[in-house]
Amino acid sequence: PRYRYQAIKFTPLADTTLIQDLVSLTLALLQPADRLAWLATLRAPFVGLTLADLDALVAGNAGNIILDALGTGADAQGQEPFSVDGRERLQRTAPILLNAVNRRGRQSTRSLVESAWISLGGPACIENDSELNDAATYFDLLDSLENESLPIDRDTLDLRMKDLFAEPDADANGKLQVLTIYSAKGLQFDNVILPGLNRAPRGDDSKLLHWFELAGQDQIVMSPMRNSKEKELQKKEGDLIQFISTVEKERSQLEDG
C-alpha cells in the first residue's frame, strides 16, 4: 500500500483536482454560457461523461449551448448517440444541474454550489477527509467574495486562492511530513531529508540590463539582455566601444601636447 504523508502548506489549493472541479461547477452555474466550465463540469467525477458522450451532447457543434443540450440529453430514452452509461449519467445529473441554474440569484452562491455538489455526489468522489476541509475552505471563499460584493469569476478566484494551500492528508499519521525549507524553520525532527544536495549549485541569474561607463566621460551605456549570445555580443561591442573611447582620449591628449 502507498505510504501516506502530510504535505504542509505545500500544494496550492487551486492546483488540486477537487477545487478545479468546484471552480468549474461554480462558473457553469453562475455563467451558463461559459462553455469551458460546462465541459469541465460534465467531465468531473461527480458527472463523469466520456469524451464520446460529450461530443454527442453538443452534436459536434462548437456553438451549441451546453445548458440547452442538457435537457435534450436527459430526455433521451434508449436513443443514440449516447452510450448506455452516458445516458444514465445524464438522466441522473442533468435535472440537478438545470435546477441549480434556475435557482441563481435566489440563494447565496455558496449555498447554490455546495448543494449542487452534494446532490451530484461530490463528497463520495473524494479520496480522504482532508479534501472535505479543502471544499469547506473553498465554500468559505465564495461566502467571503459575496460578502465583499466582489465578482465571482475565474480571475478573482485565482487571485484569492493564490495564498491558500490544500490541507495535509488527514489519513496520514504525521510521521512523514513534506515541507519547504522555509516552512520547516524552527521545527525539530529526529530525521531530516534534503533532496538534491548532490546537484550542482544554480548559476547566476541572467541580468536584465548590461551597462558600462564610457572611459573619460561621465556617461553610461545601457542595454537590455535577452540571451547568452546577445550578452556575449553586447560585451564584445562594449569592450570595443570602450577601447575606441580610450584610444580617442589618448590621441586627443597627444595632440594637445
Side-chain angles (χ1 to χ4, degrees):
R2 180 172 68 91
Y3 195 92
R4 309 193 78 95
Y5 63 91
Q6 291 187 334
I8 312 297
K9 289 187 177 181
F10 196 82
T11 305
L13 188 66
D15 289 350
T16 63
T17 302
L18 168 65
I19 299 304
Q20 290 173 354
D21 290 340
L22 283 174
V23 169
S24 297
L25 177 61
T26 302
L27 298 178
L29 297 181
L30 297 183
Q31 304 170 15
D34 190 331
R35 187 179 180 84
L36 179 61
W38 274 110
L39 290 174
T41 297
L42 296 176
R43 279 289 287 163
F46 45 76
V47 178
L49 290 184
T50 64
L51 291 177
D53 284 327
L54 274 180
D55 184 62
L57 180 66
V58 298
N61 184 356
N64 193 6
I65 298 177
I66 296 178
L67 184 62
D68 295 339
L70 276 178
T72 304
D75 293 336
Q77 298 292 335
Q79 302 175 13
E80 296 293 343
F82 298 112
S83 66
V84 175
D85 178 72
R87 187 166 55 252
E88 291 176 349
R89 290 176 181 273
L90 280 173
Q91 289 172 349
R92 180 185 70 85
T93 60
I96 298 173
L97 292 168
L98 292 171
N99 183 45
V101 171
N102 291 332
R103 297 200 313 271
R104 283 184 307 149
R106 302 179 187 177
Q107 61 189 111
S108 68
T109 301
R110 175 190 180 138
S111 175
L112 177 69
V113 177
E114 187 173 11
S115 61
W117 181 64
I118 293 174
S119 298
L120 289 168
C125 300
I126 66 171
E127 294 184 1
N128 56 68
D129 292 341
S130 61
E131 289 187 308
L132 286 177
N133 295 329
D134 292 340
T137 299
Y138 176 77
F139 295 137
D140 288 341
L141 174 60
L142 294 182
D143 259 345
S144 177
L145 291 175
E146 199 160 42
N147 291 336
E148 296 174 31
S149 299
L150 292 175
I152 300 179
D153 53 29
R154 198 177 299 275
D155 290 339
T156 305
L157 290 171
D158 287 344
L159 181 62
R160 292 295 291 266
M161 286 193 291
K162 185 173 59 175
D163 298 323
L164 297 178
F165 295 89
E167 289 289 325
D169 188 349
D171 295 333
N173 56 20
K175 292 183 178 180
L176 178 60
Q177 297 184 10
V178 179
L179 306 88
T180 65
I181 194 169
Y182 297 103
S183 298
K185 285 184 177 180
L187 302 179
Q188 295 183 359
F189 298 94
D190 294 334
N191 298 287
V192 177
I193 301 174
L194 298 176
L197 290 180
N198 60 322
R199 299 174 186 168
R202 180 179 175 181
D204 294 337
D205 291 336
S206 300
K207 295 180 179 179
L208 296 178
L209 293 173
H210 175 68
W211 66 87
F212 58 88
E213 296 181 5
L214 291 177
Q217 301 182 41
D218 189 18
Q219 294 182 347
I220 294 178
V221 174
M222 185 179 298
S223 64
M225 310 297 287
R226 295 185 179 87
N227 52 53
S228 57
K229 290 184 179 179
E230 184 171 346
K231 289 180 183 180
E232 185 177 353
L233 179 62
Q234 291 278 4
K235 184 176 185 304
K236 289 181 180 179
E237 291 178 351
D239 292 341
L240 179 60
I241 292 175
Q242 189 168 10
F243 173 75
I244 294 175
S245 298
T246 302
V247 171
E248 290 295 330
K249 180 181 179 182
E250 292 178 351
R251 180 182 299 172
S252 176
Q253 291 175 346
L254 290 175
E255 291 177 353
D256 292 341

XYZ file of all heavy atoms in Angstrom, residues 170-226:
443
model
N -5.358 13.819 5.926
C -5.852 13.532 7.273
C -5.651 12.080 7.661
O -5.660 11.735 8.854
C -7.338 13.891 7.362
N -5.474 11.199 6.665
C -5.291 9.782 6.962
C -3.849 9.421 7.262
O -3.549 8.282 7.638
C -5.791 8.930 5.784
C -7.292 9.080 5.586
O -7.987 9.368 6.580
O -7.762 8.916 4.448
N -2.922 10.370 7.056
C -1.515 10.117 7.377
C -1.299 10.314 8.874
O -1.990 11.101 9.523
C -0.613 11.054 6.579
N -0.305 9.607 9.408
C -0.081 9.672 10.860
C 0.830 10.813 11.284
O 1.096 10.988 12.475
C 0.485 8.343 11.360
C 1.772 7.935 10.643
O 2.444 8.773 10.047
N 2.100 6.651 10.693
N 1.353 11.585 10.343
C 2.186 12.726 10.689
C 3.652 12.403 10.887
O 4.460 13.303 11.124
N 4.022 11.112 10.792
C 5.427 10.756 10.974
C 6.288 11.198 9.794
O 7.478 11.424 9.934
C 5.557 9.245 11.185
C 4.980 8.745 12.503
C 5.209 7.255 12.668
C 4.666 6.766 14.020
N 4.875 5.303 14.199
N 5.677 11.290 8.624
C 6.389 11.754 7.433
C 5.709 13.020 6.937
O 4.532 13.008 6.578
C 6.367 10.684 6.340
C 7.045 11.079 5.019
C 8.520 11.406 5.238
C 6.894 9.964 3.987
N 6.466 14.115 6.942
C 5.925 15.402 6.506
C 6.810 15.974 5.404
O 8.036 15.838 5.434
C 5.856 16.392 7.672
C 4.916 15.964 8.788
C 4.797 17.017 9.870
O 5.262 18.144 9.713
N 4.167 16.656 10.970
N 6.167 16.619 4.439
C 6.875 17.275 3.346
C 6.639 18.775 3.477
O 5.496 19.228 3.476
C 6.383 16.774 1.978
C 7.126 17.483 0.851
C 6.562 15.264 1.865
N 7.722 19.531 3.621
C 7.617 20.974 3.800
C 8.674 21.659 2.950
O 9.677 21.051 2.567
C 7.833 21.391 5.261
C 7.019 20.769 6.377
C 7.653 19.500 6.895
C 6.868 21.764 7.528
N 8.442 22.929 2.662
C 9.507 23.730 2.079
C 10.509 24.046 3.180
O 10.195 23.968 4.376
C 8.969 25.039 1.497
O 8.441 25.853 2.563
C 7.868 24.769 0.475
N 11.716 24.397 2.813
C 12.755 24.658 3.805
C 12.404 25.863 4.665
O 12.783 25.957 5.832
C 14.123 24.843 3.106
C 15.254 24.756 4.138
C 14.164 26.147 2.335
C 16.622 24.652 3.515
N 11.616 26.773 4.111
C 11.212 27.959 4.879
C 10.139 27.605 5.907
O 10.148 28.119 7.026
C 10.713 29.048 3.925
C 11.776 29.535 2.985
C 11.790 29.117 1.657
C 12.778 30.400 3.407
C 12.781 29.537 0.779
C 13.775 30.830 2.543
C 13.758 30.398 1.234
O 14.742 30.814 0.377
N 9.217 26.730 5.527
C 8.180 26.315 6.472
C 8.755 25.475 7.605
O 8.179 25.408 8.688
C 7.097 25.516 5.741
O 6.471 26.299 4.762
N 9.890 24.822 7.352
C 10.476 23.931 8.352
C 11.336 24.666 9.380
O 11.769 24.060 10.362
C 11.319 22.863 7.656
N 11.568 25.951 9.173
C 12.416 26.698 10.108
C 11.802 26.720 11.503
O 10.608 26.971 11.670
C 12.604 28.138 9.611
C 13.571 28.253 8.439
C 13.791 29.710 8.058
C 14.815 29.830 6.942
N 15.050 31.247 6.555
N 12.629 26.449 12.487
C 12.178 26.492 13.872
C 11.553 25.212 14.361
O 11.244 25.079 15.547
N 11.334 24.245 13.457
C 10.747 22.971 13.857
C 11.853 21.955 14.137
O 12.969 22.072 13.637
C 9.816 22.445 12.765
C 8.670 23.370 12.363
C 7.837 22.729 11.261
C 7.790 23.696 13.562
N 11.541 20.959 14.920
C 12.527 19.946 15.285
C 12.034 18.568 14.862
O 10.912 18.173 15.173
C 12.782 19.964 16.794
C 13.421 21.259 17.286
C 13.728 21.223 18.770
O 13.443 20.236 19.438
N 14.333 22.280 19.277
N 12.884 17.849 14.137
C 12.583 16.498 13.690
C 13.768 15.598 14.019
O 14.923 16.048 14.036
C 12.319 16.464 12.184
C 11.130 17.274 11.743
C 11.276 18.588 11.318
C 9.862 16.723 11.756
C 10.192 19.335 10.912
C 8.758 17.459 11.347
C 8.921 18.765 10.927
N 13.471 14.330 14.253
C 14.552 13.373 14.503
C 15.381 13.153 13.252
O 16.608 13.004 13.323
C 13.974 12.035 14.978
C 13.308 12.153 16.342
O 13.704 13.063 17.101
O 12.397 11.366 16.643
N 14.739 13.124 12.109
C 15.440 12.910 10.837
C 14.915 13.894 9.807
O 13.708 14.101 9.689
C 15.227 11.478 10.326
C 15.792 10.438 11.276
O 17.001 10.266 11.372
N 14.912 9.747 11.986
N 15.857 14.480 9.071
C 15.504 15.448 8.033
C 16.175 15.030 6.732
O 17.371 14.735 6.714
C 15.943 16.875 8.413
C 15.635 17.847 7.273
C 15.264 17.329 9.690
N 15.412 14.978 5.667
C 15.943 14.622 4.347
C 15.879 15.849 3.451
O 14.815 16.437 3.259
C 15.129 13.470 3.716
C 15.176 12.241 4.619
C 15.662 13.137 2.331
C 14.279 11.120 4.147
N 17.038 16.233 2.920
C 17.114 17.366 1.998
C 17.515 16.818 0.632
O 18.698 16.564 0.381
C 18.131 18.397 2.477
C 17.847 19.052 3.830
C 18.977 19.980 4.221
C 16.538 19.831 3.775
N 16.569 16.587 -0.255
C 16.901 16.004 -1.561
C 17.626 16.993 -2.462
O 17.457 18.205 -2.356
C 15.527 15.642 -2.137
C 14.589 16.604 -1.487
C 15.132 16.841 -0.102
N 18.449 16.445 -3.342
C 19.102 17.268 -4.357
C 20.360 17.970 -3.912
O 20.879 18.823 -4.632
N 20.916 17.606 -2.742
C 22.124 18.285 -2.283
C 23.343 17.934 -3.136
O 24.366 18.618 -3.090
C 22.402 17.926 -0.824
C 21.416 18.503 0.203
C 21.814 18.070 1.608
C 21.361 20.020 0.123
N 23.247 16.850 -3.892
C 24.364 16.439 -4.745
C 24.374 17.167 -6.088
O 25.307 17.031 -6.868
C 24.284 14.930 -5.008
C 22.995 14.540 -5.702
O 21.944 15.096 -5.395
N 23.061 13.602 -6.631
N 23.333 17.953 -6.324
C 23.271 18.659 -7.599
C 24.173 19.886 -7.584
O 24.450 20.460 -6.540
C 21.834 19.088 -7.890
C 20.865 17.928 -8.010
C 19.452 18.439 -8.146
N 18.473 17.352 -8.133
C 17.177 17.520 -8.017
N 16.685 18.750 -7.909
N 16.361 16.481 -8.008
N 24.591 20.263 -8.780
C 25.428 21.465 -8.897
C 24.613 22.685 -8.498
O 23.403 22.737 -8.750
C 25.920 21.611 -10.332
N 25.253 23.661 -7.855
C 24.504 24.856 -7.453
C 24.004 25.625 -8.658
O 24.560 25.544 -9.754
C 25.544 25.673 -6.671
C 26.858 25.192 -7.172
C 26.675 23.742 -7.489
N 22.947 26.348 -8.436
C 22.349 27.139 -9.502
C 23.270 28.272 -9.904
O 23.899 28.921 -9.072
C 21.019 27.702 -9.004
C 20.285 28.560 -10.009
C 18.975 29.056 -9.418
N 18.302 29.979 -10.305
C 17.150 30.575 -10.017
N 16.570 30.321 -8.862
N 16.588 31.403 -10.870
N 23.356 28.506 -11.199
C 24.194 29.585 -11.686
C 23.578 30.941 -11.411
O 22.454 31.059 -10.929
N 24.347 31.981 -11.712
C 23.844 33.338 -11.505
C 22.638 33.588 -12.397
O 22.565 33.110 -13.532
C 24.932 34.371 -11.824
C 26.090 34.283 -10.841
O 25.855 33.775 -9.728
O 27.208 34.685 -11.205
N 21.678 34.311 -11.863
C 20.513 34.676 -12.659
C 20.932 35.583 -13.817
O 21.881 36.360 -13.712
C 19.477 35.404 -11.801
C 18.838 34.470 -10.792
O 18.845 33.251 -11.045
O 18.342 34.968 -9.765
N 20.216 35.459 -14.898
C 20.510 36.307 -16.048
C 20.266 37.770 -15.697
O 19.302 38.099 -15.017
C 19.619 35.904 -17.227
O 19.853 34.565 -17.588
N 21.150 38.604 -16.158
C 20.999 40.028 -15.905
C 19.946 40.609 -16.835
O 19.837 40.220 -17.989
C 22.330 40.746 -16.122
C 23.415 40.331 -15.137
C 24.700 41.086 -15.417
C 25.784 40.693 -14.432
N 27.060 41.406 -14.712
N 19.160 41.518 -16.290
C 18.150 42.177 -17.108
C 18.759 43.283 -17.955
O 18.299 43.556 -19.056
C 17.058 42.762 -16.205
C 16.237 41.749 -15.404
C 15.240 42.482 -14.525
C 15.508 40.802 -16.340
N 19.815 43.901 -17.425
C 20.447 45.012 -18.131
C 21.966 44.843 -18.139
O 22.547 44.263 -17.218
C 20.099 46.346 -17.460
C 18.647 46.813 -17.525
C 18.459 48.055 -16.656
C 18.250 47.124 -18.957
N 22.564 45.332 -19.176
C 24.037 45.384 -19.257
C 24.433 46.851 -19.371
O 23.834 47.601 -20.142
C 24.527 44.612 -20.484
C 25.995 44.724 -20.697
N 26.918 44.158 -19.848
C 26.702 45.369 -21.658
C 28.133 44.437 -20.287
N 28.029 45.169 -21.381
N 25.406 47.254 -18.593
C 25.830 48.647 -18.678
C 27.323 48.770 -18.368
O 27.914 47.904 -17.726
C 25.018 49.528 -17.723
C 25.237 49.243 -16.262
C 26.189 49.765 -15.440
C 24.484 48.325 -15.463
N 26.070 49.265 -14.187
C 25.031 48.371 -14.162
C 23.398 47.487 -15.714
C 24.532 47.607 -13.125
C 22.905 46.726 -14.687
C 23.465 46.795 -13.412
N 27.924 49.849 -18.867
C 29.318 50.145 -18.576
C 29.526 51.642 -18.732
O 28.785 52.333 -19.430
C 30.272 49.359 -19.494
C 30.052 49.617 -20.956
C 30.696 50.672 -21.601
C 29.202 48.801 -21.693
C 30.485 50.905 -22.936
C 28.989 49.043 -23.035
C 29.633 50.087 -23.669
N 30.564 52.156 -18.072
C 30.872 53.570 -18.132
C 31.820 53.840 -19.296
O 32.737 53.066 -19.561
C 31.522 54.032 -16.821
C 30.608 53.906 -15.614
C 31.279 54.398 -14.337
O 32.408 54.920 -14.452
O 30.672 54.260 -13.276
N 31.594 54.931 -19.992
C 32.486 55.333 -21.067
C 33.756 55.935 -20.478
O 33.702 56.720 -19.517
C 31.797 56.357 -21.981
C 30.633 55.817 -22.828
C 30.002 56.965 -23.618
C 31.099 54.720 -23.761
N 34.877 55.535 -21.029
C 36.162 55.997 -20.496
C 36.294 57.508 -20.630
O 36.060 58.069 -21.707
C 37.304 55.301 -21.242
N 36.622 58.142 -19.525
C 36.856 59.578 -19.531
C 35.601 60.417 -19.649
O 35.710 61.633 -19.819
N 34.443 59.800 -19.571
C 33.216 60.562 -19.688
C 32.264 60.183 -18.560
O 32.269 59.059 -18.081
C 32.532 60.294 -21.031
C 33.393 60.625 -22.240
C 32.648 60.398 -23.533
O 31.470 60.719 -23.642
N 33.339 59.843 -24.516
N 31.482 61.140 -18.171
C 30.510 60.888 -17.111
C 29.204 60.390 -17.730
O 28.145 61.001 -17.580
C 30.287 62.178 -16.302
C 29.462 61.900 -15.049
O 29.383 60.715 -14.655
O 28.896 62.856 -14.481
N 29.305 59.270 -18.458
C 28.154 58.715 -19.151
C 28.151 57.195 -19.019
O 29.203 56.576 -18.818
C 28.150 59.109 -20.633
C 27.957 60.613 -20.871
C 27.921 60.939 -22.343
O 28.269 60.114 -23.185
N 27.493 62.151 -22.661
N 26.969 56.619 -19.159
C 26.802 55.167 -19.056
C 26.060 54.660 -20.284
O 25.073 55.259 -20.716
C 26.017 54.773 -17.785
C 26.835 55.131 -16.539
C 25.697 53.280 -17.787
C 26.111 54.824 -15.256
N 26.553 53.573 -20.853
C 25.858 52.906 -21.946
C 25.082 51.740 -21.337
O 25.634 50.918 -20.608
C 26.848 52.383 -23.010
C 26.110 51.558 -24.062
C 27.581 53.551 -23.651
N 23.778 51.650 -21.621
C 22.919 50.633 -21.019
C 22.073 49.980 -22.107
O 21.595 50.646 -23.027
C 22.012 51.279 -19.970
C 21.142 50.319 -19.190
S 20.142 51.189 -17.947
C 21.425 51.879 -16.916
N 21.911 48.638 -21.997
C 21.106 47.916 -22.980
C 20.488 46.682 -22.332
O 21.050 46.140 -21.379
C 21.977 47.503 -24.176
O 22.984 46.595 -23.749
N 19.320 46.229 -22.818
C 18.695 45.028 -22.263
C 19.428 43.765 -22.691
O 20.035 43.720 -23.761
C 17.283 45.069 -22.846
C 17.443 45.811 -24.124
C 18.514 46.837 -23.875
N 19.370 42.723 -21.859
C 19.991 41.440 -22.158
C 18.884 40.416 -22.377
O 18.006 40.268 -21.542
C 20.886 41.004 -21.002
C 21.857 42.084 -20.543
S 23.015 42.546 -21.837
C 24.051 41.106 -21.826
N 18.931 39.698 -23.494
C 17.876 38.743 -23.802
C 18.348 37.292 -23.747
O 17.653 36.430 -23.279
C 17.298 39.035 -25.182
C 16.595 40.388 -25.251
C 15.934 40.565 -26.606
N 15.234 41.831 -26.675
C 15.796 42.973 -27.028
N 17.078 43.000 -27.327
N 15.105 44.091 -27.063
